Amino acid sequence: VEVFPTPWSTLQGMLVPIQDGMLLRYAIASVYRVAVGFTLAAAVGIPLGLWAGWYLRAGQAINPLIQALRPISPIAWIPIAVLWFGVKDEAAIFLIAISSFFPIVTGTMTAVRSIPLVYVRSAQNFGLEGMELFRRVVLPACLPQIITSLRLALGIAWMVIVAAEMIAVDSGLGYLIMDARNANYYDRVVGAMITIGLIGILLDTGMRRLERIDEVRWGFTKAS
């Protein structure tokens, strides 16, 4: 009796979902949810982290709340997400946003606080103040650590979406794994797992390309 699907049986089992387009639709659904939730988390987390990292009192005000909520597993939010949004895309997007937000905001705060003071003092000596100082010195110096926190958050988000889709929605690669398991199609389970891994590699590769941007390379050079 075959306990674990062989590569050949996995390929055969995935032919139907590939040919009828189900695998592509579910993969697109998962990527879409991650993209929306991750973008929302970055849009809120990066500015908030920059603000809290630059202004000491702001950091002292919000850091206790962030540190209290950060250890809560994103999976623990699934019942609340379903209660608030129902079994819909919004529930999965909310879970992605929650799971991505904390690595982004804490990483950004740390990046700001790690800037060598000599950079700021030197820029101020040349007359840079306010937003000009922030735009031309602080933000470029923070970018490497911000990119690292984004990569970490995206990896977490891609793991969370699988768990979220098993419970909170009725499509996506996580749902495909659960549906195939219930039908004893373990070849499709393994095939979906391989698909998740391949997409994860593509997402991480895309994030790594951000490190080649000139402003980010400037930050890496200064950090070294």
Side-chain angles (χ1 to χ4, degrees):
V1 179
E2 183 179 297
V3 177
F4 194 82
T6 64
W8 176 245
S9 64
T10 299
L11 179 60
Q12 287 182 312
M14 292 302 293
L15 286 178
V16 172
I18 290 174
Q19 291 173 346
D20 66 10
M22 182 176 66
L23 181 64
L24 179 60
R25 292 195 306 272
Y26 282 4
I28 291 175
S30 295
V31 172
Y32 165 77
R33 291 162 185 149
V34 169
V36 175
F38 180 77
T39 300
L40 289 173
V44 176
I46 293 176
L48 184 62
L50 291 172
W51 175 67
W54 186 250
Y55 295 103
L56 180 61
R57 291 188 178 181
Q60 291 174 338
I62 70 169
N63 192 57
L65 179 61
I66 291 174
Q67 297 308 319
L69 295 176
R70 187 168 63 91
I72 301 176
S73 169
I75 307 303
W77 290 92
I78 290 180
I80 296 176
V82 174
L83 178 65
W84 285 349
F85 303 103
V87 183
K88 299 178 181 178
D89 280 355
E90 288 81 357
I93 290 171
F94 168 78
L95 293 169
I96 294 304
I98 284 289
S99 62
S100 303
F101 171 78
F102 295 109
I104 292 174
V105 71
T106 55
T108 304
M109 290 171 58
T110 302
V112 176
R113 294 172 180 174
S114 301
I115 299 175
L117 189 60
V118 64
Y119 295 171
V120 178
R121 294 285 186 252
S122 299
Q124 289 173 335
N125 288 339
F126 283 98
L128 292 181
E129 295 290 346
M131 288 303 299
E132 189 70 9
L133 171 65
F134 206 83
R135 182 180 66 84
R136 299 185 62 180
V137 177
V138 175
L139 185 58
C142 292
L143 279 178
Q145 284 186 260
I146 292 177
I147 296 299
T148 300
S149 67
L150 289 173
R151 284 183 60 197
L152 175 63
L154 184 59
I156 294 173
W158 189 240
M159 289 189 293
V160 169
I161 191 60
V162 176
E165 288 174 342
M166 289 181 178
I167 302 173
V169 292
D170 56 2
S171 63
L173 295 173
Y175 176 80
L176 176 60
I177 290 176
M178 181 62 67
D179 188 55
R181 184 192 69 84
N182 292 337
N184 288 323
Y185 291 148
Y186 284 94
D187 44 10
R188 293 189 183 182
V189 171
V190 175
M193 292 170 63
I194 294 172
T195 303
I196 290 168
L198 293 175
I199 295 176
I201 292 174
L202 293 176
L203 293 175
D204 186 69
T205 301
M207 291 299 301
R208 288 185 65 88
R209 288 185 178 274
L210 294 178
E211 297 175 356
R212 301 180 183 179
I213 299 174
D214 290 340
E215 289 79 1
V216 179
R217 292 170 65 88
W218 179 92
F220 275 122
T221 302
K222 294 301 180 182
S224 61

